[in-house]
Amino acid sequence: MPPTEPVADHCGTCSACLDVCPTGAIYEKFVEGTKQPERTLKKVKSTCTFCGVGCQVDLNVDPETNRIVKITSDPSYVSNDGNLCVKGRFAFNFVHHPDRLTEPLVRGEDGELRETSWDEALQAAAEGLSLVRDRYGPQAIGFLSSARCTNEENYLVQKLARAVIGTNSVHSCEAT
């Protein structure tokens, strides 16, 4: 029975058709650029970074370049049954972007940012928050979180704000 409306009217551009195409005629064009055939890509299980739902994904990594070349999901994954939205499937190029910070930075006495260790960066952040809290009170500090964080991460942000700093000024932007 033919559909009453064109299929394109119902397409959410999630590209789920890639997973169910029986002939392999529909595939990600960027896979053509990898140096390894798809069958030799290494799969690394992870959690999608684009919202707090917690969809489980497989990062398909080219072992020669150690770069993500595509993202898939297995139907056995409980949180999303193998389904991915368009962001979860295709928005991963930021991982390898040259402008991405890969080391913590702290501002030196000269005002310039410099790379440092995680221990030193966390110590500098803790000292800065303590200084502001002690000098101006806990309500002088506010915490911003994100809908891209998991529920557990957002819980920890509000716990830090309320139990450690003593402020109820916590907000989470729900726009992704």
Side-chain angles (χ1 to χ4, degrees):
M1 172 182 255
T4 56
E5 297 178 33
V7 174
D9 288 348
H10 299 291
C11 179
T13 63
C14 69
S15 298
C17 53
L18 295 170
D19 293 333
V20 297
C21 178
T23 64
I26 303 172
Y27 61 94
E28 297 94 333
K29 186 166 177 65
F30 54 83
V31 171
E32 291 176 354
T34 184
K35 295 180 181 180
Q36 297 290 323
E38 184 172 344
R39 65 184 173 280
T40 63
L41 295 176
K42 179 177 69 174
K43 288 190 177 193
V44 178
K45 188 174 179 181
S46 188
T47 302
C48 181
T49 60
F50 278 94
C51 73
V53 171
C55 293
Q56 296 300 287
V57 298
D58 289 318
L59 307 176
N60 294 260
V61 178
D62 181 337
E64 187 175 308
T65 62
N66 206 29
R67 294 177 67 90
I68 300 168
V69 295
K70 73 178 199 171
I71 294 182
T72 56
S73 188
D74 191 281
S76 67
Y77 296 159
V78 176
S79 60
N80 55 309
D81 297 324
N83 297 309
L84 295 173
C85 69
V86 70
K87 289 179 184 177
R89 185 180 303 270
F90 295 120
F92 60 86
N93 289 332
F94 69 91
V95 173
H96 304 295
H97 196 280
D99 292 341
R100 183 175 181 206
L101 294 178
T102 57
E103 298 292 328
L105 304 175
V106 294
R107 195 168 303 281
E109 293 194 20
D110 60 357
E112 296 297 316
L113 290 173
R114 62 176 174 77
E115 287 187 3
T116 189
S117 68
W118 280 105
D119 287 340
E120 185 181 341
L122 291 170
Q123 183 66 34
E127 289 171 0
L129 287 170
S130 295
L131 179 71
V132 171
R133 182 192 59 203
D134 295 345
R135 185 175 293 167
Y136 302 105
Q139 288 308 110
I141 300 173
F143 286 79
L144 298 175
S145 193
S146 171
R148 289 188 178 182
C149 293
T150 64
N151 288 335
E152 292 82 4
E153 291 164 331
N154 279 316
Y155 172 80
L156 291 173
V157 169
Q158 70 82 30
K159 193 72 166 175
L160 173 66
R162 293 183 174 128
V164 176
I165 300 297
T167 182
N168 287 323
S169 299
V170 183
H171 182 69
S172 175
C173 177
E174 301 309 320
T176 59

